Amino acid sequence: MRIRSALFIAIVAGIAATSLAFISSAGAEDKPASEAPKHMSSAVFAGGCFWCVESDFDKVDGVIETVSGYTGGHVANPTYKQVSHEDTGHYESVKVTYDPDVVSYNQLVTYFLHHIDPTDASGQFCDKGESYRSAIFVSTPDERATAEADIADVSATLPSPVVTQVINADTFWPAEDYHQDYYHKNPLKYRYYRAACGRDARVKELWGEEATGH
């Protein structure tokens, strides 16, 4: 059973009725496809609330686009309601499209680990349940080796074991339109949710000055 914070549920309920007003392609507001370089790669990360993971990665130089979605489960084309309330096996996740000439996969993995709580096996911050666990989804043996090496490195600096999983990449299903770029569309609600959930406070407690750019 997934336990989404009452705060998150209230926010989603409040914006669902007006979500059609915000229909747009994911990431199109900030990073139009016409600006994307020809040579791009992608990576998928799960770190709890995908609104927050998306916002964090959008601050990284070399990241072209971020898309919130679901992956790792057994249900085709899942909905938010299914993922958050049923046993679909999916993780809330974010697909990051990036220019490897500007930022490396290793740098993205390191950044990701320093912007979550990789020691929490029950979820992330105020959101608990299987769909909110942290994971790195890898597409190649090199990506797996990089992710596992980075996890080993950070494990040596933390007081508790790292439980972030490294999982073979599976089909990525984009989330509903109202979830995309949520932090841009609803900045006040987003900032309130993020602060009330304790995300940045916990990240700072774990990583100190190593975690910046929230």
Side-chain angles (χ1 to χ4, degrees):
M1 178 179 181
R2 289 119 181 106
I3 306 174
R4 176 57 104 178
S5 68
L7 172 63
F8 184 97
I9 294 172
I11 291 173
V12 171
I15 56 88
T18 58
S19 62
L20 291 178
F22 300 111
I23 292 177
S24 62
S25 59
E29 295 179 6
D30 297 322
K31 299 166 184 175
S34 60
E35 296 180 6
K38 294 181 180 179
H39 179 45
M40 294 186 292
S41 297
S42 64
V44 177
F45 301 93
C49 172
F50 44 26
W51 298 347
C52 299
V53 177
E54 184 180 337
S55 172
D56 287 343
F57 273 113
D58 276 346
K59 297 177 175 67
V60 177
D61 288 341
V63 168
I64 307 304
E65 182 184 57
T66 54
V67 179
S68 290
Y70 316 108
T71 194
H74 56 267
V75 175
N77 198 27
T79 65
Y80 170 74
K81 183 177 181 180
Q82 287 176 308
V83 173
S84 59
H85 296 289
E86 299 176 14
D87 184 19
T88 68
H90 286 290
Y91 292 69
E92 278 199 15
S93 54
V94 172
K95 183 176 182 179
V96 179
T97 300
Y98 66 99
D99 180 356
D101 292 331
V102 178
V103 61
S104 69
Y105 180 73
N106 179 59
Q107 289 173 313
L108 292 178
V109 172
T110 300
Y111 180 87
F112 169 70
L113 291 171
H114 284 80
H115 287 76
I116 63 168
D117 179 356
T119 68
D120 189 348
S122 63
Q124 286 289 291
F125 314 104
C126 67
D127 298 318
K128 304 302 180 183
E130 292 182 358
S131 63
Y132 306 117
R133 294 174 299 165
S134 62
I136 301 168
F137 292 87
V138 297
S139 298
T140 67
D142 285 345
E143 287 186 354
R144 175 174 288 278
T146 296
E148 291 177 345
D150 282 358
I151 287 174
D153 286 344
V154 301
S155 294
T157 69
L158 295 175
S160 302
V162 171
V163 296
T164 299
Q165 296 179 302
V166 180
I167 302 173
N168 288 335
D170 200 351
T171 302
F172 178 87
W173 304 94
E176 295 84 344
D177 287 320
Y178 69 86
H179 285 303
Q180 308 300 338
D181 297 315
Y182 185 86
Y183 73 103
H184 273 315
K185 298 170 181 174
N186 302 277
L188 294 180
K189 291 179 180 179
Y190 168 74
R191 287 198 295 269
Y192 179 76
Y193 161 74
R194 182 159 184 152
C197 198
R199 190 178 186 103
D200 293 337
R202 175 57 177 161
V203 167
K204 186 174 183 180
E205 178 185 358
L206 278 174
W207 300 109
E209 296 305 315
E210 294 183 67
T212 58
H214 297 298

